[in-house]
Amino acid sequence: MMTPRAHGQPMSHARQQAGMSLIELMIAVAIGLALLAGLSSLYVSTSKARTEFNKTSEQVENGRFALQSITRDIEMAGFYGRASQLIATSSYALPDPCAAAPASMGFSTSPTVTVPLPVYGPALAATALPCLATSLPNRATGAEVLTVSYVAGSTAAAANGTDYYVQRSGCETDSVPLVYSKTAADFTLHNKAAVAGGTCSTSSAAELRKYVMRSYYVATCDVCSGAGADTTPTLKMAEFVNGAIQTSSLVTGIEDVHYSYGVDLDNNGSPDCYADNPSDTSAAPAACATAATAASYAWTASATANWANVTAVRINLLSRNLDSTASWTDTRTYALGRAAASGPYNDHYKRHVYGTVARVWNTGGLRENQ
């Protein structure tokens, strides 16, 4: 017979050790699953945000690096050693970005000193160079080309039989004022001796500076052949190295580049107007027509003269993410400075326009000091 428990008497040991009921357990599991679902959702959204941030960071870096690379070369363009002496007596020749023979590269001393133009858009010429398809392989349809020419700042180079160098005379008694060659025996020009009166010294050879010619263009691919071939738009650089044109990828994700050229019409170093194509001599662009008239500038006289008066280049480029974003559709248009905007592309890549103005210091800066 069970004896009733007196008031205040403790419960049995078994009753104190009783666990959760099934209902309590189910409630705890449900709360735990809800918390886990929330944490999983937070992790997924954070991971997606981080991935998009990385894509955008890479795109920004690529766009800025492309601008920096092109700008640096434009600012060096037209440097041929003692430029202030050379420009006063020289004229310019349209550089051929496909040429590898010295006679076709723009250097001459007869009848006057001639050097390649500092900056030039060969694809904008009245008659496009047929070799652009081979020297600038995989160029995107309609892609603009910018060619820059100058000599390196270093004078420590020695002729090696493969690279081409420019030697500028410092002596009026030298037979020619400039030599462009790869052969050591051709460099016979001299400097002034470091003595009172600065007489010419046959023991002081003029310095050699390596010739640099680079062409920038947008290609339809980074790796364009083989098992790893892709369709990533890429800014490529074709460079004159060891007597031949060599092409390399510079920045991936660059989809389009537009250049506008600032033309100095009154010879004071500052651009008076910007033209998309200085090679077009049929008529001055609307922005330049009034200024050309005021400066008595003969726009239609010569494409070479127009290019020789370019003292600044406005660069606008379109950088694209390397990876697509499934939830994004690009319905935007992008103004690069052309009459018509680019886009919409209606794909799943995010894009951004980057722009800057680069000075051609070795043309404009010299004029400002005259």
Side-chain angles (χ1 to χ4, degrees), residues 266-279:
D266 53 11
N267 206 40
N268 68 354
S270 298
D272 297 294
C273 62
Y274 282 83
D276 287 346
N277 184 8
S279 287

Side-chain angles (χ1 to χ4, degrees), residues 145-159:
V145 181
L146 175 70
T147 297
V148 296
S149 301
Y150 59 91
V151 296
S154 173
T155 60

Side-chain angles (χ1 to χ4, degrees), residues 169-185:
S169 172
C171 288
E172 63 276 5
T173 57
D174 281 333
S175 59
V176 292
L178 177 146
V179 170
Y180 175 67
S181 177
K182 66 177 180 180
T183 306

